[in-house]
């Protein structure tokens, strides 16, 4: 198999050098371009079909998030791994379908895992296997907010949704990113949390209504400020009704 082609985009030369050094230690990846600005990167992306881009966020001029948005039309098949010193843009990054979000200083093993995810060398994290609730559930989920780690109590979580190997936690008034897959969250949370869909884990205590349409599809109206609706897979509907005492 040919080595995957990689573009490094970072305005700091030492950071580019460090990433190149780390990538030399990882089989199956070859650096074939570097850019110090997003504008330079756009020129390269229009001329080379890269497999993956390692992308800083805060750069002079166009930032990495805007570049990732523009890449959708220029190079839609190129995977993006954000490599940044700032953890506070992770939610925006995953909204842009980033393969991973790596906080500097970058360690080789962490970069290796990110590349495996980006290049689909590991099973698709959006197709999780069934996981039974674990007896080792801890009931609180750590999340990063700036330079702080905040523990979110499970009672505050309305539902969780998949985000390419990570997860979003939907709270009453906000959505935050957690560095756990849905499988891992299901192990950490109590039996009040039920998988309604391959991409959703719902706190049954926060379910307000069940709504079905003319086709028989079922949705849960949950108790966040927006009254969000969460889909229920057809094969899970009967079990869910039973768990809700219906």
């Amino acid at each position: 198999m040919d080595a995957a082609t990689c573009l490094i985009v970072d305005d700091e030369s030492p950071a580019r050098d460090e990433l190149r050094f780390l990538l030399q230690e990882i089989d199956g990846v070859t650096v074939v371009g570097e850019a110090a600005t997003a504008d330079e990167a756009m020129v390269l992306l229009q001329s080379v079909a890269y497999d993956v881009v390692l992308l800083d966020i805060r750069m002079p001029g166009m930032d990495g998030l805007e570049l990732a948005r523009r890449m959708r039309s220029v190079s839609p098949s190129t995977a993006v791994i954000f490599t940044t010193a700032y953890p506070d843009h992770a939610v925006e990054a995953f909204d842009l379908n980033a393969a991973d979000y790596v906080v500097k200083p970058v360690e080789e093993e962490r970069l290796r895992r990110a590349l495996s995810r980006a290049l689909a060398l590991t099973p698709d994290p959006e197709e999780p296997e069934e996981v039974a609730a674990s007896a080792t559930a801890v009931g609180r989920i750590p999340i990063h907010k700036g330079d702080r780690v905040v523990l979110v109590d499970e009672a505050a979580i309305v539902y969780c949704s998949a985000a390419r190997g990570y997860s979003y936690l939907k709270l009453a008034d906000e959505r935050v990113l957690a560095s756990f897959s849905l499988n891992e969250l299901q192990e950490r949370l109590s039996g009040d949390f039920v998988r309604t869909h391959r991409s959703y884990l719902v706190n049954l205590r926060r379910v307000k209504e069940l709504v079905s349409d003319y086709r028989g599809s079922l949705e849960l109206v949950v108790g966040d400020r927006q009254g969000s609706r969460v889909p229920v897979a057809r094969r899970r509907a009967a079990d869910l009704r039973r768990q809700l005492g219906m």
Side-chain angles (χ1 to χ4, degrees), residues 12-244:
E12 297 182 356
S13 179
R16 296 196 304 273
D17 291 344
E18 177 66 14
L19 286 172
R20 179 181 284 274
F21 173 79
L22 292 174
L23 289 166
Q24 289 174 349
E25 304 299 312
I26 299 175
D27 293 334
V29 181
T30 300
V31 177
V32 294
E34 293 185 13
T37 69
D39 288 331
E40 290 179 11
M42 281 292 289
V43 173
L44 293 172
L45 287 162
Q46 290 171 335
S47 58
V48 178
Y50 291 98
D51 294 305
V52 62
V53 173
L54 301 184
L55 179 57
D56 192 16
I57 288 183
R58 297 191 184 180
M59 297 183 291
M62 187 195 315
D63 67 14
L65 294 170
E66 180 59 27
L67 175 59
R69 291 187 187 96
R70 297 190 184 190
M71 282 178 58
R72 290 174 168 176
S73 58
V74 174
S75 187
S77 63
T78 301
V80 174
I81 298 173
F82 284 100
T83 55
T84 174
Y86 304 95
D88 49 325
H89 295 290
V91 170
E92 296 170 87
F94 282 107
D95 279 343
L96 292 169
N97 293 322
D100 211 333
Y101 190 95
V102 181
V103 178
K104 298 175 182 176
V106 180
E107 297 178 352
E108 180 184 331
E109 184 54 36
R110 180 66 182 88
L111 183 58
R112 190 185 300 273
R113 294 200 307 271
L115 286 165
S116 293
R117 179 176 290 120
L119 300 172
L121 300 179
T122 56
D124 186 348
E126 299 219 26
E127 295 287 351
E129 297 177 358
E130 292 291 319
V131 175
S134 169
T136 60
V138 295
R140 293 196 296 177
I141 305 300
I143 62 167
H144 291 275
K145 285 198 169 185
D147 59 356
R148 299 178 298 140
V149 176
V150 178
L151 294 175
V152 177
D153 189 271
E154 69 169 38
I157 302 171
V158 181
Y159 67 87
C160 313
S161 58
R164 298 181 70 89
Y166 293 78
S167 297
Y168 290 118
L169 307 183
K170 183 62 175 74
L171 312 180
D173 298 304
E174 63 178 329
R175 186 178 67 158
V176 296
L177 188 73
S179 57
F180 299 96
S181 68
L182 282 189
N183 284 353
E184 291 167 331
L185 285 178
Q186 195 164 0
E187 292 178 349
R188 295 177 67 92
L189 297 170
S190 73
D192 290 336
F193 286 79
V194 171
R195 201 67 160 266
T196 64
H197 184 279
R198 66 185 177 89
S199 298
Y200 290 91
L201 183 64
V202 176
N203 185 350
L204 293 185
R205 293 185 180 275
R206 304 298 295 270
V207 174
K208 300 298 183 183
E209 300 178 43
L210 279 74
V211 179
S212 58
D213 62 20
Y214 69 95
R215 295 170 301 178
S217 298
L218 186 65
E219 292 182 318
L220 303 179
V221 180
V222 294
D224 57 357
R225 186 175 295 277
Q226 297 79 19
S228 300
R229 294 192 177 196
V230 177
V232 178
R234 288 182 181 275
R235 64 190 179 88
R236 303 179 192 269
D239 285 342
L240 179 65
R241 291 179 185 276
R242 184 166 55 253
Q243 287 171 295
L244 290 171

